[in-house]
Amino acid sequence: KTGWHHTANGYVYFKDGKPLSGRNYVLLPSIDGNGSNWYLVDNGVPQWGVQSWAGTYYYFDQDTYLRVDNDYVQSQWGDWYLFGNDGRILTGVQKWAGSYYYFDPVTYLKVTNDYRQSQWGS
């Protein structure tokens, strides 16, 4: 069997009767059956929330498992992070919702009530 299968623990993608092995960002048939989409899967299980991949962090929607771009979202552990138009987590001064905000390059969290140096040196 090849394709998505819903188990008691959620979705798993099987190829030739076995779950995909390893952690990969792969183009697969859509879970909803309409076309195809890119999914971050770990041993066939689609990942959601903030996930480490390819040297940075991305956010994947909990319901669709699809990467979220251009959004300020709450992680699975409750903190808020800003993700850019390519899905990567953002740091430094960023324009969001009509204002500018600073995101710490270590924690990725928005900094408030503090004076910080921007990525441009100001």
Side-chain angles (χ1 to χ4, degrees), residues 99-115:
S99 292
Y100 289 89
Y101 300 94
Y102 179 82
F103 293 85
D104 186 275
V106 174
T107 66
Y108 304 101
L109 298 173
K110 181 177 72 166
V111 176
T112 57
N113 299 318
D114 199 6
Y115 188 75

Side-chain angles (χ1 to χ4, degrees), residues 19 26 32 35 38 50 52 55-56 58 60 67 74 82 85 87 90-91 93 95 110 116 119 121:
V26 294
D32 67 10
W38 289 87
V50 175
S52 175
T56 189
Y58 296 88
F60 296 88
R67 190 183 81 193
Q74 189 173 25
L82 183 63
N85 61 3
L90 296 175
T91 62
V93 176
K95 187 174 184 179
K110 181 177 72 166
R116 297 287 178 104
Q119 60 267 37

Side-chain angles (χ1 to χ4, degrees), residues 6-47:
H6 195 269
T7 70
N9 295 324
Y11 287 100
V12 179
Y13 190 84
F14 285 83
K15 184 173 181 180
D16 299 325
K18 297 179 183 177
L20 287 182
S21 121
R23 185 174 174 91
N24 297 290
Y25 190 54
V26 294
L27 183 63
L28 297 171
S30 292
I31 290 174
D32 67 10
N34 295 316
S36 59
N37 276 302
W38 289 87
Y39 296 94
L40 179 65
V41 293
D42 196 341
N43 293 319
V45 177
Q47 301 300 291

Side-chain angles (χ1 to χ4, degrees), residues 32-96:
D32 67 10
N34 295 316
S36 59
N37 276 302
W38 289 87
Y39 296 94
L40 179 65
V41 293
D42 196 341
N43 293 319
V45 177
Q47 301 300 291
W48 63 271
V50 175
Q51 297 290 327
S52 175
W53 177 252
T56 189
Y57 293 93
Y58 296 88
Y59 180 81
F60 296 88
D61 184 87
Q62 182 176 1
D63 297 321
T64 66
Y65 305 102
L66 300 178
R67 190 183 81 193
V68 173
D69 297 345
N70 294 317
D71 208 355
Y72 187 55
V73 295
Q74 189 173 25
S75 70
Q76 59 270 40
W77 50 83
D79 292 322
W80 288 81
Y81 301 95
L82 183 63
F83 295 87
N85 61 3
D86 62 358
R88 294 176 193 218
I89 198 164
L90 296 175
T91 62
V93 176
Q94 302 294 330
K95 187 174 184 179
W96 176 252

